[in-house]
């Protein structure tokens, strides 16, 4: 039952967030501080997601060499301006290859 409470609460929260974006006055959205915040938040959230996926196992931090090497290969592919799908394949290939060894 607790899971359903969390699902409903999350759904209501997402709906409220979307509704909030529609009812906020344009003058608030044009503020320089709000624009800077909306420019930086996605980068911070994606960075946190990548860090958790690369360095966490459950509730503990764990240094897994294969995952970190896959992340490094993905960063290298991104620096070489590879398409996103290629970046994913390279990262997965490196991690899988190291786990196979």
């Amino acid at each position: 039952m607790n899971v359903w409470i969390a699902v409903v609460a999350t759904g209501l929260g997402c709906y409220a967030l979307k509704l909030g974006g529609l009812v906020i006055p344009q003058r608030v959205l044009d503020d320089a501080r709000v624009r800077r915040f909306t420019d930086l938040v996605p980068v911070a959230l994606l960075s946190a997601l990548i860090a958790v996926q690369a360095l966490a196992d459950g509730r503990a931090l764990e240094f897994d060499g294969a995952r970190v090497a896959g992340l490094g290969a993905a960063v290298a592919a991104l620096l070489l301006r590879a398409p996103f799908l290629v970046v994913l394949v390279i990262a997965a290939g490196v991690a899988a290859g190291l786990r196979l060894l």
Side-chain angles (χ1 to χ4, degrees):
M1 186 63 164
N2 290 337
V3 172
W4 285 108
I5 293 171
V7 168
V8 170
T10 302
L12 289 173
C14 289
Y15 181 76
L17 189 61
K18 282 197 164 277
L19 183 63
L22 294 173
V23 298
I24 291 178
Q26 187 64 35
R27 63 182 164 74
V28 173
L29 298 175
D30 290 337
D31 186 14
R33 293 173 295 178
V34 173
R35 284 186 183 210
R36 181 155 170 80
F37 178 79
T38 57
D39 286 343
L40 295 177
V41 164
V43 174
L45 290 176
L46 287 173
S47 299
L49 179 63
I50 289 169
V52 166
Q53 290 296 314
L55 300 173
D57 186 22
R59 291 181 166 233
L61 287 176
E62 181 178 300
F63 185 80
D64 182 8
R67 278 195 255 175
V68 174
L71 179 61
V75 169
L78 284 172
L79 290 175
L80 294 173
R81 303 215 184 267
F84 186 68
L85 187 58
V86 173
V87 171
L88 290 177
V89 170
I90 288 172
V94 167
L98 288 175
R99 286 181 191 263
L100 186 62
L101 293 175

